Amino acid sequence: MKNVLIISILSTQIIFAQNTAQKLDNVTKNLMNSSSAISSNISFYVADESGNLIYEFNGNKGLSTASTQKIFTAAAALEILGNNYTYTTTSSYSGKISDGNLNGNLYITSNGDPTLGSWRYNGYKPENFKQKFLEAVGKSGITKISGDLIIDDSYFDHQTIPGGWPWDDLGNYYGAGVWGVNWRENQFDINISGTDFKSFSYPLEGIKWLNDLKAAGNSDQSLIFTAPHSDVALINGSLPAGKVTTVSGSVPNPPLQLGVEAIKWLRESGVEFSGRVMTSSQLEIEGKKTLEAPKNNIILNYQSPTLDKIVYWFLRKSVNLYGETLIKTLGKEKKSNPSFKSGISFLKEFWKSKGINPNMINFADGSGLSPQNYVSAKAEVQALIYAKKQPWFDTYYEGFPTQDNGMKMKSGTMRDTKSYAGYHTSKDGKKYVYSIIINNFQGSGSAELQKILNVLK
């Protein structure tokens, strides 16, 4: 009797899976046979929570992923670094302090904390770092600095932007680069009325603007162009006339920006300063001896939020800066090489070791902004199922946005790319893990892909 019951349950499950697969096949083929999909590619894979295949359509095909790429980076970072990993920003000095006078340089350095000065975390905002920094200077007895303020940004290599990122993206907030010292998520905001700049979220150091904006249309169609270490920025495109629009860009030199603000804080607090603000990179550009921050004479160790909180915002708000910082951190930790190439190589090795075919995970970055990422839907599902079995899964899962349809799902959008990957429990209690990636669909693809997701509900 018991065997009969087991067979009956298994038969019901098989019939259910077949019905679901048939429905998925119908809506997927309807999509791909539509006129808008004439030159499109799709990779689609659905499994149950144990990894058993429910349905696939070109599941092995590698496509450009957009932000669903982040599921690989976040999981690897949680496993390798751990929930409680923190970044550290340090202030120290060279020389000696005599009667309040620092006969030497004051330093600020970091191991790449992407949250330094972020507005997302209570207790870690710009004013919190400012307070801790000034308190540390005060406790050290420094009232005058005879040397310079050196922002030591040498922890990572000099390449701040992953290869393959489109030039159209680099100057916008989501295209911010990764530095050894990051500040305010390397983002600034401009309030613009039509074509006229009204105000900045904070003064940008030494930036000259070229303005090709047009006042037209009903939405923000502007683009900002900045480049690392450049003092020239361009904005073009169009903004609506007759109202103020906030446009966000990426800071071309975050370490210098922090240094300029720190000197202002010092002077406002009564500390005399007559030297220069310099970064390690700038000293090297000028052919001068680079000055690394001293390992002694430390007056401040400022810890970042823990990695579980960083991953939450990385997935929830799709912060590209966090993903690329994690890539460099993994390269530094596992290969003693803090480059994008090294970190991406480790990421691929990590997932290969978890059983994913390396031909299906051709990573180009850690965030998905590069159109040179080629990943299959099957690989994304395999990564999601692996994560589900790990002790850090609750942290990972919490970061996935909950969509209007009730699904826990990371989405990705880029020109000619739309992707979804996540977890879902249907109305009848069935648990699914899925990934859909579509490239070169003529239109957003959102409504069409939603029809496929509705089958899983």
Side-chain angles (χ1 to χ4, degrees):
M1 184 69 181
K2 183 177 180 181
N3 290 337
V4 173
L5 179 60
I6 292 174
I7 293 171
S8 177
I9 292 172
L10 290 175
S11 299
T12 301
Q13 290 175 337
I14 292 170
I15 293 170
F16 175 84
Q18 289 174 338
N19 289 340
T20 303
Q22 186 59 56
K23 292 176 181 178
L24 289 170
D25 193 54
N26 290 340
V27 291
T28 301
K29 288 180 177 177
N30 286 340
L31 167 62
M32 296 309 293
N33 289 331
S34 67
S35 59
S36 298
I38 189 170
S39 60
S40 298
N41 277 319
I42 192 170
S43 184
F44 182 25
Y45 198 92
V46 183
D48 64 20
E49 61 180 339
S50 299
N52 299 308
L53 175 65
I54 299 294
Y55 177 74
E56 69 170 316
F57 189 98
N58 293 334
N60 293 335
K61 183 182 286 290
L63 298 179
S64 183
T65 60
S67 281
T68 55
Q69 167 82 5
K70 292 178 171 69
I71 67 174
F72 296 100
T73 307
L78 285 169
E79 178 149 325
I80 298 302
L81 303 175
N83 275 356
N84 295 320
Y85 179 88
T86 58
Y87 291 89
T88 304
T89 299
T90 301
S91 184
S92 58
Y93 64 88
S94 62
K96 294 183 178 181
I97 302 170
S98 178
D99 296 326
N101 180 28
L102 172 57
N103 292 296
N105 299 322
L106 186 64
Y107 290 79
I108 298 175
T109 189
S110 179
N111 62 345
D113 180 5
T115 71
L116 186 64
S118 172
W119 61 92
R120 300 183 196 275
Y121 309 86
N122 290 330
Y124 297 90
K125 299 179 188 295
E127 56 268 26
N128 298 118
F129 178 73
K130 173 185 175 180
Q131 179 185 357
K132 295 291 186 183
F133 175 68
L134 291 178
E135 286 176 355
V137 172
K139 288 179 181 178
S140 72
I142 296 173
T143 58
K144 180 180 179 180
I145 301 172
S146 296
D148 298 326
L149 174 63
I150 308 295
I151 310 298
D152 180 2
D153 58 346
S154 62
Y155 186 77
F156 291 148
D157 66 349
H158 293 310
Q159 185 181 347
T160 65
I161 304 292
W165 277 20
W167 172 234
D168 279 7
D169 292 334
L170 302 193
N172 300 285
Y173 73 95
Y174 55 86
V178 176
W179 301 69
V181 176
N182 302 293
W183 178 239
R184 299 179 185 264
E185 294 196 3
N186 304 343
Q187 175 180 328
F188 65 89
D189 302 327
I190 322 173
N191 293 316
I192 306 175
S193 178
T195 63
D196 298 328
F197 289 12
K198 294 300 182 182
S199 64
F200 285 79
S201 51
Y202 54 88
L204 281 178
E205 174 60 23
I207 302 300
K208 300 178 284 290
W209 283 88
L210 295 171
N211 187 344
D212 287 341
L213 278 173
K214 308 293 183 185
N218 299 313
S219 63
D220 179 358
Q221 297 297 320
S222 65
L223 286 174
I224 296 175
F225 297 85
T226 63
H229 301 288
S230 175
D231 60 357
V232 177
L234 162 68
I235 186 168
N236 64 16
S238 64
L239 290 172
K243 73 173 190 175
V244 175
T245 304
T246 300
V247 178
S248 299
S250 62
V251 179
N253 196 332
L256 178 62
Q257 183 67 39
L258 171 59
V260 170
E261 293 188 38
I263 288 302
K264 183 180 178 183
W265 304 338
L266 289 168
R267 287 174 173 157
E268 289 174 347
S269 70
V271 176
E272 295 181 43
F273 178 82
S274 57
R276 303 172 302 163
V277 177
M278 295 294 292
T279 69
S280 297
S281 296
Q282 188 60 38
L283 287 168
E284 190 171 344
I285 289 170
E286 295 179 1
K288 299 176 181 177
K289 182 180 179 181
T290 56
L291 302 172
E292 291 186 6
K295 299 295 188 290
N296 52 8
N297 296 335
I298 293 173
I299 63 173
L300 173 66
N301 278 316
Y302 183 85
Q303 301 296 320
S304 75
T306 50
L307 184 63
D308 56 348
K309 296 179 178 64
I310 295 173
V311 166
Y312 173 88
W313 287 112
F314 173 47
L315 294 173
R316 185 60 61 99
K317 291 298 182 182
S318 218
V319 186
N320 295 330
L321 168 67
Y322 291 5
E324 305 315 328
T325 303
L326 290 172
I327 285 295
K328 285 203 167 192
T329 301
L330 289 169
K332 180 82 170 181
E333 294 282 343
K334 301 304 293 184
K335 290 179 172 287
S336 301
N337 183 350
S339 67
F340 291 118
K341 184 177 180 180
S342 175
I344 291 164
S345 173
F346 171 75
L347 188 67
K348 187 167 184 174
E349 290 169 8
F350 175 87
W351 287 110
K352 179 182 177 182
S353 73
K354 307 308 176 187
I356 296 181
N357 187 325
N359 294 320
M360 295 194 297
I361 44 173
N362 189 12
F363 302 137
D365 65 16
S367 65
L369 187 56
S370 173
Q372 295 178 9
N373 288 297
Y374 292 100
V375 175
S376 74
K378 181 178 180 179
E380 292 199 333
V381 169
Q382 288 177 310
L384 292 172
I385 290 172
Y386 174 81
K388 202 171 189 303
K389 301 173 183 177
Q390 306 312 310
W392 41 261
F393 177 69
D394 287 348
T395 294
Y396 185 69
Y397 185 76
E398 180 64 20
F400 279 68
T402 302
Q403 306 297 327
D404 292 340
N405 58 18
M407 291 182 168
K408 271 287 200 179
M409 180 176 76
K410 185 77 192 79
S411 63
T413 301
M414 199 164 59
R415 181 178 178 180
D416 298 328
T417 295
K418 190 74 180 177
S419 60
Y420 298 132
Y423 306 91
H424 182 59
T425 302
S426 65
K427 292 179 180 179
D428 55 10
K430 301 295 181 182
K431 295 182 183 295
Y432 297 103
V433 186
Y434 61 90
S435 169
I436 308 173
I437 310 168
I438 190 167
N439 287 182
N440 203 34
F441 186 82
Q442 301 307 300
S444 73
S446 298
E448 290 78 7
L449 293 181
Q450 186 59 55
K451 295 175 182 177
I452 294 176
L453 296 180
N454 286 342
V455 174
L456 300 182
K457 293 175 67 178

